[in-house]
Amino acid sequence: METFYRTYRPKVFQYAMRLVASPSEADDLVQEVFLLLQTRQSEWRGIANVNAWLAKVTLNVARHQWRARKRAARRDTAWGSDAVPTRVPTPLERLEAKRGLRQLEKAIESLRPLYRSVYWLTEVNELPAAEVAVLVGVPPQTVRVQRLRARRQVCQHYQAAVGA
């Protein structure tokens, strides 16, 4: 296992850096990947393409961490909202919210299919650009550019709808 770690750690670290924001998070991710491999040695002994397999394991471990963070954030938000009484929106506020939602749906529908997918995954589902890049099959920088262009088109759609 030690030679395996020394051989593949740089590649796993490089892939982890594409997925997370900082070297310390990438180090944590690398440790999690190799701890997982240590506990499941019998499963990976006969893998033909080790690099691709390690990339997939790294992505899965990162996804698990992202989901855990989101669950913790939702849990913290839910606990905080219990203490604050909620205000019931007025009928006018509900109507304005429905109109705004309809405008957003129209704006998203007006986007080109690839921009629509990128916008939906990054803005609505709040997935990081690195994960969206894997899902869509383009480099992360392309995802960032497409997200920016989609945002601009959505803003232009809103401005045209408002008449500004």
Side-chain angles (χ1 to χ4, degrees), residues 13 25 29 32 34 44-45 60 69 73-74 84-85 87 93 98 101 123 134 142 146 151 154 156:
F13 181 79
E25 285 185 50
L29 193 60
E32 288 292 325
F34 283 102
W44 58 268
R45 287 290 180 186
N60 288 340
R69 285 184 194 147
R74 279 193 300 249
V84 179
R87 184 181 70 83
E93 290 171 335
K98 279 185 180 178
L101 184 59
E123 298 298 317
V134 171
T142 304
Q146 290 173 345
R151 284 178 181 167
V154 168
Q156 289 170 353

Side-chain angles (χ1 to χ4, degrees), residues 9-73:
R9 186 206 176 279
K11 292 181 182 186
V12 172
F13 181 79
Q14 182 182 16
Y15 187 65
M17 279 299 294
R18 293 183 195 152
L19 297 172
V20 295
S22 70
S24 64
E25 285 185 50
D27 277 334
D28 291 344
L29 193 60
V30 169
Q31 285 181 3
E32 288 292 325
V33 167
F34 283 102
L35 282 173
L36 179 68
L37 295 178
Q38 179 68 29
T39 61
R40 298 182 179 174
Q41 283 187 21
S42 62
E43 295 177 22
W44 58 268
R45 287 290 180 186
I47 302 295
N49 188 348
V50 176
N51 288 328
W53 184 76
L54 282 172
K56 185 66 174 175
V57 169
T58 306
L59 178 62
N60 288 340
V61 170
R63 285 179 178 162
H64 177 73
Q65 288 181 354
W66 294 329
R67 284 192 293 269
R69 285 184 194 147
K70 283 185 180 182
R71 282 192 302 269

